[in-house]
Coordinates of all heavy atoms in Angstrom, one line a residue:
M1 N -1.5 -2.0 54.3 CA -0.8 -1.0 55.1 C 0.6 -0.8 54.4 O 1.0 0.2 54.3 CB -0.6 -1.7 56.4 CG 0.2 -0.7 57.4 SD -0.6 0.8 57.5 CE -0.9 1.0 59.2
K2 N 1.2 -2.1 54.0 CA 2.6 -1.7 53.4 C 2.4 -0.8 52.0 O 3.2 -0.1 51.7 CB 3.2 -3.1 53.0 CG 4.6 -2.9 52.4 CD 5.3 -4.3 52.2 CE 6.7 -4.1 51.6 NZ 7.3 -5.4 51.4
Q3 N 1.3 -1.1 51.3 CA 1.0 -0.4 50.1 C 1.0 1.1 50.4 O 1.4 2.0 49.7 CB -0.2 -0.8 49.5 CG -0.3 -0.4 48.0 CD 0.4 -1.3 47.2 OE1 1.5 -1.8 47.6 NE2 0.2 -1.4 45.9
N4 N 0.3 1.5 51.6 CA 0.1 2.9 52.0 C 1.5 3.4 52.3 O 1.7 4.6 52.0 CB -0.8 3.0 53.2 CG -2.2 2.7 52.9 OD1 -2.7 2.7 51.6 ND2 -3.1 2.3 53.8
M5 N 2.3 2.7 52.9 CA 3.7 3.2 53.3 C 4.4 3.5 52.0 O 5.2 4.5 51.9 CB 4.5 2.2 54.1 CG 3.8 2.0 55.6 SD 4.6 0.6 56.4 CE 6.3 1.4 56.6
I6 N 4.4 2.6 51.0 CA 5.1 2.8 49.8 C 4.6 4.1 49.1 O 5.3 4.9 48.6 CB 4.9 1.6 48.9 CG1 5.7 0.5 49.5 CG2 5.5 1.9 47.4 CD1 5.6 -0.8 48.8
S7 N 3.2 4.2 49.0 CA 2.7 5.4 48.4 C 3.1 6.6 49.0 O 3.5 7.7 48.3 CB 1.2 5.3 48.4 OG 0.8 4.2 47.6
R8 N 3.2 6.6 50.4 CA 3.6 7.8 51.1 C 5.1 8.1 50.8 O 5.5 9.3 50.5 CB 3.4 7.5 52.5 CG 3.4 8.8 53.4 CD 3.1 8.6 54.9 NE 2.0 7.7 55.1 CZ 1.8 6.6 55.9 NH1 2.8 6.6 56.8 NH2 0.8 5.8 56.1
R9 N 5.9 7.0 50.7 CA 7.3 7.3 50.4 C 7.5 7.9 49.0 O 8.3 8.7 48.8 CB 8.1 6.0 50.6 CG 8.2 5.7 52.0 CD 9.0 4.4 52.2 NE 10.4 4.6 51.8 CZ 11.2 3.4 51.9 NH1 10.7 2.3 52.2 NH2 12.5 3.7 51.6
V10 N 6.8 7.4 48.0 CA 6.8 7.9 46.7 C 6.4 9.3 46.6 O 7.0 10.1 45.9 CB 5.9 7.0 45.8 CG1 5.8 7.6 44.3 CG2 6.5 5.6 45.5
V11 N 5.3 9.7 47.4 CA 4.9 11.1 47.3 C 6.0 11.9 47.9 O 6.3 13.0 47.4 CB 3.5 11.2 48.2 CG1 3.2 12.6 48.3 CG2 2.4 10.4 47.3
I12 N 6.6 11.5 49.0 CA 7.6 12.3 49.6 C 8.8 12.5 48.7 O 9.3 13.6 48.4 CB 8.0 11.7 50.9 CG1 7.0 11.8 52.0 CG2 9.3 12.3 51.4 CD1 7.0 11.0 53.3
K13 N 9.2 11.4 48.0 CA 10.3 11.5 47.1 C 9.9 12.4 45.9 O 10.8 13.1 45.5 CB 10.7 10.1 46.7 CG 11.6 9.4 47.5 CD 12.0 8.1 47.1 CE 13.1 7.5 47.9 NZ 14.3 7.4 47.3
T14 N 8.8 12.3 45.5 CA 8.3 13.1 44.3 C 8.4 14.6 44.7 O 8.9 15.3 44.0 CB 6.9 12.7 43.9 OG1 6.9 11.4 43.5 CG2 6.4 13.6 42.7
L15 N 7.9 14.8 45.9 CA 7.8 16.2 46.3 C 9.2 16.8 46.5 O 9.5 18.0 46.2 CB 7.1 16.4 47.7 CG 5.5 16.3 47.4 CD1 4.9 16.2 48.9 CD2 4.9 17.2 46.6
L16 N 10.1 15.9 46.9 CA 11.5 16.3 47.1 C 12.4 16.3 45.8 O 13.6 16.7 45.8 CB 12.2 15.4 48.2 CG 11.5 15.6 49.6 CD1 12.2 14.5 50.6 CD2 11.8 17.1 50.1
G17 N 11.7 15.9 44.8 CA 12.4 15.8 43.4 C 13.3 14.7 43.3 O 14.3 14.7 42.4
G18 N 13.3 13.6 44.1 CA 14.0 12.5 44.1 C 13.6 11.5 42.9 O 12.6 11.8 42.2
A19 N 14.5 10.6 42.6 CA 14.2 9.7 41.5 C 13.2 8.7 42.0 O 13.6 7.8 42.9 CB 15.4 9.0 41.0
T20 N 12.0 8.7 41.5 CA 11.0 7.8 41.9 C 11.0 6.4 41.2 O 10.6 5.4 41.7 CB 9.6 8.4 41.9 OG1 9.4 8.8 40.6 CG2 9.5 9.6 42.9
I21 N 11.2 6.6 39.9 CA 11.0 5.3 39.1 C 11.8 4.1 39.6 O 11.3 3.1 39.8 CB 11.4 5.7 37.6 CG1 10.5 6.7 37.1 CG2 11.3 4.4 36.8 CD1 9.0 6.4 37.1
P22 N 13.3 4.3 39.8 CA 14.0 3.2 40.4 C 13.4 2.7 41.6 O 13.3 1.5 41.9 CB 15.4 3.6 40.4 CG 15.4 4.8 39.5 CD 14.0 5.5 39.6
F23 N 12.9 3.6 42.5 CA 12.4 3.2 43.8 C 11.1 2.4 43.6 O 10.9 1.4 44.2 CB 12.1 4.5 44.6 CG 11.3 4.2 45.8 CD1 11.9 3.7 46.9 CD2 9.9 4.4 46.0 CE1 11.4 3.4 48.1 CE2 9.2 4.0 47.0 CZ 10.0 3.6 48.2
I24 N 10.3 2.8 42.7 CA 9.1 2.0 42.4 C 9.4 0.7 41.9 O 8.8 -0.3 42.5 CB 8.2 2.9 41.4 CG1 7.5 4.0 42.0 CG2 7.0 1.9 40.9 CD1 6.8 5.0 41.1
N25 N 10.2 0.6 41.0 CA 10.6 -0.7 40.5 C 11.2 -1.7 41.5 O 10.9 -2.8 41.6 CB 11.5 -0.6 39.2 CG 10.8 0.0 38.1 OD1 9.6 -0.1 38.0 ND2 11.6 0.5 37.1
E26 N 12.1 -1.1 42.4 CA 12.8 -1.9 43.5 C 11.8 -2.3 44.4 O 11.7 -3.4 44.9 CB 13.8 -1.1 44.0 CG 14.6 -1.8 45.1 CD 15.6 -0.8 45.7 OE1 16.2 0.0 45.1 OE2 15.7 -0.8 47.0
A27 N 10.9 -1.4 44.8 CA 10.0 -1.7 45.9 C 8.8 -2.5 45.5 O 8.3 -3.3 46.3 CB 9.5 -0.4 46.6
Q28 N 8.3 -2.3 44.3 CA 7.1 -2.9 44.0 C 7.2 -4.0 42.9 O 6.2 -4.7 42.6 CB 6.0 -1.9 43.5 CG 5.7 -1.0 44.6 CD 4.8 0.1 44.3 OE1 4.5 0.3 43.0 NE2 4.0 0.6 45.2
G29 N 8.4 -4.1 42.1 CA 8.4 -4.8 41.0 C 7.9 -6.4 41.2 O 6.9 -6.8 40.5
D30 N 8.5 -7.1 42.1 CA 8.1 -8.5 42.3 C 6.8 -8.5 43.1 O 6.2 -9.6 43.1 CB 9.2 -9.2 43.0 CG 10.5 -9.5 42.1 OD1 10.3 -9.3 41.0 OD2 11.5 -9.8 42.7
E31 N 6.5 -7.5 43.8 CA 5.3 -7.6 44.7 C 4.0 -7.0 44.0 O 3.0 -7.1 44.4 CB 5.6 -6.8 46.0 CG 6.6 -7.2 46.8 CD 7.0 -6.3 48.0 OE1 6.3 -5.5 48.2 OE2 8.1 -6.4 48.5
A32 N 4.4 -6.3 42.8 CA 3.1 -5.7 42.2 C 2.1 -6.9 41.7 O 2.5 -8.0 41.3 CB 3.7 -5.0 40.9
P33 N 0.9 -6.4 41.7 CA -0.1 -7.4 41.3 C 0.0 -7.7 39.7 O 0.4 -6.8 39.1 CB -1.4 -6.7 41.8 CG -1.1 -5.2 41.7 CD 0.3 -5.2 42.2
L34 N -0.5 -8.9 39.4 CA -0.6 -9.3 38.0 C -1.8 -8.6 37.3 O -2.8 -8.6 37.8 CB -0.6 -10.8 38.0 CG -0.4 -11.4 36.6 CD1 1.0 -11.0 36.0 CD2 -0.5 -12.9 36.7
L35 N -1.5 -8.1 36.1 CA -2.6 -7.4 35.4 C -3.6 -8.5 35.0 O -3.2 -9.6 34.5 CB -2.1 -6.7 34.2 CG -3.1 -6.0 33.3 CD1 -3.8 -4.8 34.1 CD2 -2.4 -5.4 32.0
N36 N -4.8 -8.2 35.2 CA -5.9 -9.1 34.9 C -6.4 -8.9 33.5 O -6.7 -7.6 33.3 CB -7.0 -9.3 35.9 CG -8.0 -10.4 35.6 OD1 -8.6 -10.4 34.6 ND2 -8.2 -11.3 36.6
E37 N -6.6 -9.7 32.5 CA -7.2 -9.3 31.2 C -8.5 -8.7 31.4 O -9.0 -8.0 30.4 CB -7.5 -10.6 30.4 CG -6.1 -11.4 30.0 CD -6.5 -12.5 29.0 OE1 -7.5 -12.6 28.6 OE2 -5.5 -13.2 28.8
N38 N -9.3 -8.9 32.4 CA -10.6 -8.4 32.6 C -10.6 -7.0 33.2 O -11.6 -6.3 33.3 CB -11.5 -9.3 33.4 CG -11.8 -10.5 32.6 OD1 -12.0 -10.5 31.5 ND2 -11.6 -11.7 33.3
D39 N -9.4 -6.5 33.6 CA -9.3 -5.2 34.3 C -9.7 -4.2 33.1 O -9.4 -4.3 31.9 CB -7.9 -4.8 34.7 CG -7.5 -5.5 35.9 OD1 -8.2 -6.1 36.5 OD2 -6.3 -5.3 36.4
T40 N -10.3 -3.0 33.5 CA -10.7 -2.0 32.6 C -9.5 -1.5 31.6 O -9.7 -1.5 30.4 CB -11.4 -0.9 33.2 OG1 -12.6 -1.4 33.9 CG2 -12.0 0.2 32.3
A41 N -8.4 -1.2 32.3 CA -7.3 -0.8 31.5 C -6.8 -1.9 30.6 O -6.5 -1.5 29.4 CB -6.2 -0.3 32.5
A42 N -6.8 -3.1 31.0 CA -6.2 -4.2 30.1 C -7.2 -4.2 29.0 O -6.7 -4.5 27.8 CB -6.2 -5.4 31.0
K43 N -8.5 -4.3 29.2 CA -9.5 -4.4 28.1 C -9.3 -3.3 27.2 O -9.4 -3.5 25.9 CB -10.9 -4.4 28.6 CG -11.3 -5.8 29.2 CD -12.7 -5.7 29.6 CE -13.2 -7.1 30.1 NZ -14.6 -7.1 30.4
S44 N -9.0 -2.1 27.6 CA -9.0 -0.9 26.7 C -7.8 -1.1 25.8 O -7.8 -0.5 24.6 CB -9.0 0.3 27.5 OG -7.7 0.5 28.2
M45 N -6.7 -1.9 26.2 CA -5.6 -1.9 25.3 C -5.5 -3.4 24.7 O -4.5 -3.8 24.2 CB -4.3 -1.6 26.2 CG -4.2 -0.3 26.8 SD -4.3 1.0 25.5 CE -2.8 0.7 24.6
H46 N -6.6 -4.1 24.9 CA -6.7 -5.5 24.3 C -5.6 -6.4 24.8 O -5.0 -7.1 24.0 CB -6.7 -5.4 22.7 CG -8.0 -4.6 22.3 ND1 -7.9 -3.5 21.4 CD2 -9.3 -4.7 22.4 CE1 -8.9 -3.1 21.1 NE2 -9.8 -3.7 21.8
Y47 N -5.2 -6.2 26.1 CA -4.1 -7.0 26.7 C -4.6 -8.5 26.9 O -5.8 -8.8 27.2 CB -3.9 -6.5 28.0 CG -3.0 -7.5 28.8 CD1 -1.6 -7.5 28.6 CD2 -3.4 -8.4 29.8 CE1 -0.7 -8.5 29.2 CE2 -2.7 -9.3 30.5 CZ -1.2 -9.3 30.2 OH -0.4 -10.2 30.8
V48 N -3.9 -9.3 26.4 CA -3.9 -10.9 26.6 C -2.8 -11.4 27.3 O -1.6 -10.9 27.0 CB -4.3 -11.6 25.2 CG1 -5.7 -11.2 24.7 CG2 -3.2 -11.4 24.2
S49 N -2.9 -12.4 28.0 CA -1.9 -13.1 28.8 C -1.0 -14.0 27.9 O 0.0 -14.4 28.3 CB -2.4 -13.7 30.0 OG -3.3 -14.8 29.6
D50 N -1.6 -14.3 26.7 CA -0.8 -15.2 25.8 C -0.9 -14.5 24.4 O -2.0 -14.5 23.8 CB -1.5 -16.5 25.8 CG -0.9 -17.5 24.8 OD1 0.0 -17.1 24.1 OD2 -1.2 -18.7 24.9
A51 N 0.2 -14.0 23.9 CA 0.3 -13.3 22.7 C -0.2 -14.1 21.6 O -0.7 -13.6 20.5 CB 1.7 -12.8 22.3
S52 N -0.2 -15.4 21.6 CA -0.7 -16.3 20.5 C -2.2 -16.0 20.3 O -2.8 -16.4 19.2 CB -0.5 -17.7 20.7 OG -1.1 -18.3 21.8
R53 N -2.9 -15.5 21.2 CA -4.4 -15.2 21.1 C -4.7 -13.9 20.6 O -5.8 -13.5 20.5 CB -5.1 -15.4 22.5 CG -5.2 -16.8 22.9 CD -6.1 -17.0 24.2 NE -5.4 -16.6 25.4 CZ -6.0 -15.7 26.2 NH1 -7.0 -14.9 25.7 NH2 -5.3 -15.3 27.2
A54 N -3.6 -13.0 20.5 CA -3.8 -11.7 19.9 C -3.9 -11.6 18.5 O -2.7 -11.8 17.9 CB -2.7 -10.8 20.5
K55 N -5.0 -11.5 17.9 CA -5.1 -11.5 16.3 C -4.4 -10.4 15.8 O -4.0 -10.4 14.5 CB -6.5 -11.6 16.0 CG -7.4 -10.4 16.4 CD -8.9 -10.6 16.1 CE -9.7 -9.3 16.6 NZ -11.0 -9.7 16.9
D56 N -4.2 -9.3 16.4 CA -3.5 -8.1 15.7 C -2.0 -8.1 16.1 O -1.3 -7.1 15.6 CB -4.1 -6.8 16.2 CG -5.6 -6.8 15.7 OD1 -5.9 -7.2 14.7 OD2 -6.4 -6.1 16.5
A57 N -1.5 -9.0 16.8 CA -0.1 -8.9 17.1 C 0.8 -9.2 16.0 O 0.6 -10.3 15.2 CB 0.2 -9.9 18.4
K58 N 2.0 -8.4 15.8 CA 2.9 -8.8 14.9 C 3.6 -10.2 15.3 O 3.8 -10.4 16.4 CB 4.1 -7.8 14.8 CG 3.6 -6.5 14.1 CD 4.7 -5.4 14.2 CE 6.0 -5.8 13.6 NZ 7.0 -4.7 13.7
P59 N 3.9 -11.0 14.4 CA 4.5 -12.4 14.7 C 5.8 -12.1 15.5 O 6.6 -11.3 15.2 CB 4.8 -12.9 13.2 CG 3.9 -12.4 12.4 CD 3.7 -10.9 12.8
G60 N 5.9 -12.7 16.6 CA 7.1 -12.8 17.6 C 6.8 -11.6 18.6 O 7.7 -11.6 19.5
S61 N 5.9 -10.7 18.5 CA 5.8 -9.7 19.5 C 5.1 -10.2 20.7 O 4.2 -10.9 20.6 CB 5.1 -8.5 18.9 OG 3.7 -8.7 18.5
K62 N 5.5 -9.8 21.9 CA 5.1 -10.1 23.0 C 5.7 -9.2 24.1 O 6.6 -8.4 23.9 CB 5.4 -11.6 23.5 CG 6.9 -12.0 23.4 CD 7.1 -13.5 23.7 CE 8.5 -13.8 23.6 NZ 8.7 -15.2 23.9
C63 N 5.2 -9.3 25.4 CA 5.6 -8.3 26.4 C 7.1 -8.4 26.6 O 7.8 -7.5 26.9 CB 4.8 -8.6 27.6 SG 3.1 -8.2 27.6
A64 N 7.6 -9.7 26.6 CA 9.1 -10.0 26.9 C 10.0 -9.1 26.0 O 11.2 -8.7 26.3 CB 9.4 -11.3 26.9
N65 N 9.6 -8.8 24.7 CA 10.4 -7.9 23.8 C 9.7 -6.6 23.5 O 10.2 -6.0 22.5 CB 10.7 -8.7 22.5 CG 9.4 -9.2 21.8 OD1 8.4 -8.7 21.9 ND2 9.6 -10.3 21.0
C66 N 8.9 -6.1 24.4 CA 8.3 -4.8 24.4 C 9.3 -3.8 25.0 O 9.8 -4.1 26.1 CB 7.0 -4.8 24.9 SG 6.2 -3.1 24.9
S67 N 9.4 -2.5 24.6 CA 10.2 -1.6 25.3 C 9.7 -1.1 26.6 O 10.4 -0.6 27.4 CB 10.3 -0.4 24.4 OG 10.9 -0.6 23.1
L68 N 8.3 -1.4 26.8 CA 7.8 -1.0 28.1 C 7.7 -2.1 29.2 O 7.3 -1.9 30.3 CB 6.4 -0.5 27.9 CG 6.1 0.6 26.7 CD1 4.7 0.8 26.5 CD2 6.9 1.7 27.1
Y69 N 8.4 -3.3 28.8 CA 8.5 -4.3 29.8 C 9.7 -4.2 30.6 O 10.7 -3.9 30.1 CB 8.5 -5.6 29.1 CG 8.4 -6.8 29.9 CD1 7.4 -7.4 30.5 CD2 9.8 -7.6 30.0 CE1 7.3 -8.5 31.2 CE2 9.7 -8.8 30.7 CZ 8.5 -9.3 31.4 OH 8.6 -10.3 32.0
T70 N 9.6 -4.2 32.0 CA 10.9 -3.9 32.8 C 11.6 -5.2 33.2 O 12.6 -5.1 33.9 CB 10.4 -3.2 34.0 OG1 9.5 -3.9 34.8 CG2 9.7 -1.9 33.7
G71 N 11.2 -6.4 32.9 CA 11.8 -7.6 33.2 C 13.0 -7.9 32.5 O 13.1 -7.2 31.3
D72 N 13.9 -8.7 32.9 CA 15.0 -9.2 32.1 C 14.6 -10.4 31.3 O 13.5 -10.9 31.3 CB 16.2 -9.5 32.9 CG 15.9 -10.6 33.9 OD1 15.1 -11.5 33.6 OD2 16.6 -10.7 34.9
S73 N 15.6 -10.9 30.4 CA 15.2 -11.9 29.5 C 14.8 -13.2 30.1 O 14.3 -14.0 29.5 CB 16.5 -12.1 28.6 OG 17.6 -12.6 29.4
K74 N 15.0 -13.4 31.4 CA 14.7 -14.6 32.0 C 13.4 -14.5 32.9 O 12.9 -15.6 33.4 CB 15.8 -15.1 32.9 CG 17.1 -15.4 32.3 CD 18.2 -15.9 33.2 CE 19.5 -16.2 32.4 NZ 20.7 -16.3 33.3
S75 N 12.9 -13.3 32.9 CA 11.7 -13.2 33.7 C 10.5 -13.7 33.1 O 10.4 -13.7 31.8 CB 11.5 -11.6 34.0 OG 11.1 -11.0 32.8
T76 N 9.4 -14.2 33.9 CA 8.3 -14.7 33.3 C 7.2 -13.6 33.5 O 6.1 -13.8 32.9 CB 7.8 -16.0 34.1 OG1 7.7 -15.7 35.5 CG2 8.8 -17.1 33.7
Q77 N 7.3 -12.6 34.4 CA 6.4 -11.6 34.5 C 7.2 -10.4 35.0 O 8.2 -10.6 35.7 CB 5.3 -11.9 35.3 CG 5.6 -12.3 36.7 CD 4.4 -12.8 37.5 OE1 3.7 -13.8 37.0 NE2 4.1 -12.4 38.7
A78 N 6.7 -9.2 34.8 CA 7.4 -7.9 35.3 C 6.4 -6.9 35.2 O 5.4 -6.9 34.4 CB 8.8 -7.6 34.6
V79 N 6.8 -5.8 35.7 CA 6.0 -4.4 35.7 C 6.0 -3.9 34.2 O 7.1 -3.9 33.7 CB 6.4 -3.4 36.7 CG1 5.9 -2.0 36.4 CG2 6.2 -3.8 38.1
C80 N 5.0 -3.6 33.7 CA 4.8 -2.8 32.5 C 4.6 -1.4 32.7 O 3.7 -1.0 33.4 CB 3.7 -3.4 31.6 SG 3.1 -2.3 30.2
T81 N 5.4 -0.5 32.2 CA 5.2 0.8 32.5 C 4.1 1.5 32.0 O 3.5 2.5 32.5 CB 6.4 1.7 32.0 OG1 6.6 1.5 30.6 CG2 7.8 1.3 32.7
L82 N 3.3 0.9 31.0 CA 2.0 1.4 30.5 C 1.1 1.2 31.6 O 0.2 2.1 31.8 CB 1.7 0.7 29.3 CG 0.4 1.0 28.8 CD1 0.4 2.5 28.1 CD2 -0.1 0.0 27.7
F83 N 1.1 0.1 32.3 CA 0.1 -0.2 33.3 C 0.5 0.2 34.8 O 0.0 -0.4 35.7 CB -0.3 -1.7 33.2 CG -1.1 -1.9 32.0 CD1 -0.5 -2.7 31.0 CD2 -2.3 -1.4 31.7 CE1 -1.1 -3.0 29.7 CE2 -3.0 -1.8 30.5 CZ -2.4 -2.5 29.4
G84 N 1.5 1.1 34.8 CA 1.8 1.6 36.1 C 2.7 0.5 36.9 O 3.6 0.0 36.5
T85 N 2.0 0.2 38.1 CA 2.8 -0.6 38.9 C 2.3 -2.2 38.8 O 2.5 -3.0 39.6 CB 2.7 -0.3 40.4 OG1 1.4 -0.2 40.7 CG2 3.4 1.0 40.5
K86 N 1.5 -2.5 37.8 CA 1.0 -3.9 37.6 C 2.0 -4.6 36.7 O 2.7 -4.2 35.8 CB -0.4 -3.9 36.9 CG -1.3 -3.3 37.9 CD -2.7 -3.9 37.8 CE -3.6 -3.4 38.8 NZ -5.0 -3.9 38.5
Q87 N 2.1 -6.0 37.0 CA 3.0 -6.8 36.3 C 2.2 -7.4 35.1 O 0.9 -7.7 35.2 CB 3.5 -7.9 37.1 CG 4.6 -7.4 38.2 CD 5.2 -8.7 38.9 OE1 6.0 -9.2 38.2 NE2 4.8 -8.9 40.0
V88 N 2.8 -7.7 34.1 CA 2.3 -8.4 33.0 C 3.1 -9.8 32.7 O 4.3 -9.8 33.0 CB 2.2 -7.5 31.6 CG1 1.3 -6.4 31.8 CG2 3.6 -7.1 31.2
L89 N 2.5 -10.7 32.0 CA 3.3 -11.8 31.7 C 4.2 -11.7 30.6 O 3.8 -11.0 29.6 CB 2.2 -13.1 31.4 CG 1.4 -13.5 32.6 CD1 0.3 -14.5 32.1 CD2 2.3 -14.0 33.7
A90 N 5.4 -12.3 30.6 CA 6.3 -12.2 29.5 C 5.7 -12.6 28.2 O 6.1 -12.0 27.1 CB 7.6 -13.0 29.8
N91 N 4.8 -13.5 28.2 CA 4.2 -14.0 27.0 C 2.9 -13.2 26.7 O 2.2 -13.6 25.6 CB 3.9 -15.6 27.1 CG 5.1 -16.3 26.9 OD1 6.1 -16.0 26.2 ND2 5.2 -17.4 27.7
G92 N 2.6 -12.2 27.4 CA 1.4 -11.5 27.1 C 1.7 -10.4 26.0 O 2.7 -10.4 25.3
W93 N 0.6 -9.7 25.7 CA 0.7 -8.7 24.5 C -0.4 -7.7 24.7 O -1.5 -8.0 25.3 CB 0.5 -9.4 23.2 CG 0.7 -8.5 22.0 CD1 1.7 -8.1 21.2 CD2 -0.5 -7.7 21.2 NE1 1.4 -7.4 20.2 CE2 0.0 -7.1 20.3 CE3 -1.8 -7.8 21.5 CZ2 -0.7 -6.2 19.4 CZ3 -2.6 -6.9 20.6 CH2 -2.0 -6.3 19.7
C94 N -0.3 -6.5 24.2 CA -1.3 -5.6 24.1 C -1.1 -4.7 22.9 O 0.1 -4.7 22.4 CB -1.5 -4.7 25.4 SG -0.5 -3.2 25.5
E95 N -1.9 -3.9 22.6 CA -1.9 -3.0 21.3 C -0.9 -1.9 21.4 O -0.5 -1.3 20.3 CB -3.2 -2.5 20.8 CG -3.9 -1.5 21.8 CD -5.2 -1.2 21.3 OE1 -5.8 -1.8 20.4 OE2 -5.8 -0.1 21.7
A96 N -0.4 -1.7 22.6 CA 0.8 -0.7 22.7 C 2.0 -1.2 22.5 O 3.1 -0.5 22.7 CB 0.6 0.0 24.0
W97 N 2.2 -2.6 22.1 CA 3.4 -3.2 22.0 C 4.3 -2.4 21.2 O 4.0 -1.8 20.1 CB 3.4 -4.5 21.3 CG 4.7 -5.2 21.2 CD1 5.3 -5.9 22.1 CD2 5.6 -5.2 20.1 NE1 6.5 -6.4 21.6 CE2 6.7 -5.8 20.3 CE3 5.5 -4.5 18.8 CZ2 7.7 -6.0 19.4 CZ3 6.5 -4.6 17.9 CH2 7.6 -5.4 18.2
T98 N 5.6 -2.1 21.6 CA 6.6 -1.3 20.8 C 8.1 -1.8 21.1 O 8.2 -2.3 22.2 CB 6.5 0.3 21.3 OG1 7.4 0.9 20.4 CG2 6.9 0.4 22.7
N99 N 8.7 -1.7 20.2 CA 10.1 -2.2 20.3 C 11.0 -1.2 19.6 O 11.5 -1.5 18.5 CB 10.4 -3.7 19.6 CG 11.6 -4.2 20.1 OD1 12.6 -3.6 20.3 ND2 11.6 -5.5 20.0
L100 N 11.3 -0.2 20.3 CA 12.2 0.9 19.8 C 13.6 0.6 20.0 O 14.1 -0.1 20.8 CB 11.8 2.3 20.5 CG 10.4 2.6 20.4 CD1 10.1 4.0 21.2 CD2 10.1 3.0 19.0
Ligands
LIG201 FE1 3.1 -6.0 27.2 FE2 4.2 -3.9 26.1 FE3 1.6 -4.0 26.2 FE4 3.0 -3.6 28.4 S1 2.9 -2.2 26.6 S2 1.3 -5.1 28.1 S3 4.8 -4.9 28.0 S4 3.0 -5.4 25.0

């Protein structure tokens, strides 16, 4: 039910032209579900919850130092903007890793 309320508020803010991104992060950041490696979207991007298991990862690359990770340096998990409102583990990795 709470999820429906958030979605409704996001839609209303979007229609009114309000800033939705900070709202989404504030409202759903800690409450967002954790991305599962077996999710279709995760599989398509070869997401793993432990970067040491990613054979294509550049040494040292992981979600915590990816530009799409919204957590701070002390977080263990946070929303990844690539996966919408799902959280990823700080030690995770996927093939979209970028550090601009
Ligand atoms: Fe992690 Fe970045 Fe991939 Fe998101 S885009 S899962 S933060 S490596």
Side-chain angles (χ1 to χ4, degrees):
M1 182 60 128
K2 186 175 181 183
Q3 199 76 337
N4 289 341
M5 292 174 62
I6 290 170
S7 296
R8 199 174 313 141
R9 289 177 69 183
V10 169
V11 169
I12 291 169
K13 280 187 171 247
T14 301
L15 291 173
L16 295 175
T20 57
I21 299 300
F23 173 77
I24 290 170
N25 288 339
E26 178 184 318
Q28 297 182 339
D30 291 344
E31 300 170 16
L34 190 60
L35 181 67
N36 186 303
E37 288 183 14
N38 294 317
D39 286 359
T40 302
K43 281 184 172 179
S44 72
M45 298 306 292
H46 301 122
Y47 170 78
V48 289
S49 59
D50 181 351
S52 68
R53 290 191 284 117
K55 59 183 177 213
D56 295 329
K58 284 175 54 176
S61 65
K62 57 185 177 181
C63 293
N65 56 23
C66 174
S67 301
L68 303 179
Y69 185 74
T70 61
D72 63 26
S73 61
K74 294 179 182 170
S75 64
T76 57
Q77 62 187 51
V79 168
C80 164
T81 55
L82 177 68
F83 293 107
T85 57
K86 292 213 173 171
Q87 294 191 73
V88 296
L89 295 175
N91 287 326
W93 181 90
C94 86
E95 66 183 18
W97 181 87
T98 184
N99 193 332
L100 299 176

